[in-house]
Amino acid sequence: MERLLRFLCVSLPRGALGTLIGVGVVINVANVAGRYLFNAPIVWAEEILVLIMVACVFLGAILVTWEGQHIRMDLVSTRFGKPWRQLVLALDTVVFLLVCGFVVRHSWSFVQILYETGQKTVVARLPAWLAHATILAGFAGMLLVVLARLRNYLSGDFGGNPASAPAIDAEPSAGGADGKPRSHDTEAT
């Protein structure tokens, strides 16, 4: 089960990201060459590049969620003792799950409507549901990751990853995120 989960939430998004970025680079180079060398730009290139960028953001969010690397506003909560920090992490996790569930539910409905109506993108004429399905995939992936790694999210421990939130058992530090004192934390001598 762990291997399947790691494949779905790490390997598959990582492979898709690499492929999409590669395709984006090829399209961009071809468009620049067409525009400046042959005075014949690729009309649909800009639209496809935007769709690729959106897909990369939402697929990348799955990887960020797996590693527990989302940006946190934890300036105050890292100073809390164990019970308060645990409460903040639990609340953070519940809100994360609720937001992901909300977006998945509504995105699924929207993708269904686009699929049923056969709507297409403006220039490239791609099925519009395909473009919007990347948002659904990203939030569904994040939801799956948080549920699968619920213990990590509740403890704040993601396997010793230095950039992740401090574990519940870690004592609050007076220094920066790396534990080293900040310049304004030390007294002038």
Side-chain angles (χ1 to χ4, degrees), residues 6-187:
R6 195 171 275 282
F7 173 75
L8 290 174
C9 299
V10 178
S11 300
L12 191 63
R14 192 170 282 150
L17 280 168
T19 302
L20 286 169
I21 290 171
V23 168
V25 167
V26 168
I27 291 172
N28 202 21
V29 168
N31 189 35
V32 168
R35 177 175 309 215
Y36 294 108
L37 297 177
F38 305 109
N39 200 22
I42 302 171
V43 177
W44 47 263
E46 298 298 324
E47 183 177 68
I48 296 298
L49 289 171
V50 168
L51 295 177
I52 287 173
M53 185 62 65
V54 169
C56 286
V57 166
F58 286 102
L59 291 175
I62 299 170
L63 294 172
V64 170
T65 303
W66 180 269
E67 296 169 358
Q69 294 292 313
H70 279 287
I71 295 173
R72 295 177 186 258
M73 302 309 257
D74 60 359
L75 178 67
V76 176
S77 65
T78 56
R79 310 265 188 247
F80 290 161
K82 183 176 179 175
W84 290 107
R85 201 169 342 155
Q86 206 165 16
L87 180 65
V88 169
L89 285 171
L91 181 62
D92 179 48
T93 303
V94 167
V95 169
F96 199 168
L97 289 169
L98 289 173
V99 167
C100 286
F102 177 84
V103 174
V104 165
R105 180 178 177 272
H106 290 283
S107 187
W108 175 260
S109 300
F110 190 65
V111 168
Q112 276 185 314
I113 290 168
L114 291 174
Y115 181 79
E116 290 168 1
T117 60
Q119 189 172 344
K120 301 207 179 287
T121 61
V122 177
V123 180
R125 307 301 298 156
L126 290 175
W129 69 266
L130 189 61
H132 290 276
T134 59
I135 298 168
L136 174 62
F139 275 94
M142 287 189 287
L143 182 64
L144 176 66
V145 167
V146 174
L147 290 173
R149 300 195 77 190
L150 192 58
R151 182 174 289 147
N152 300 96
Y153 271 88
L154 293 175
S155 69
D157 181 17
F158 290 90
N161 195 342
S164 64
I168 291 296
D169 296 334
E171 288 299 317
S173 70
D178 58 359
K180 296 177 183 171
R182 294 178 297 243
S183 60
H184 62 274
D185 288 341
T186 58
E187 293 181 27

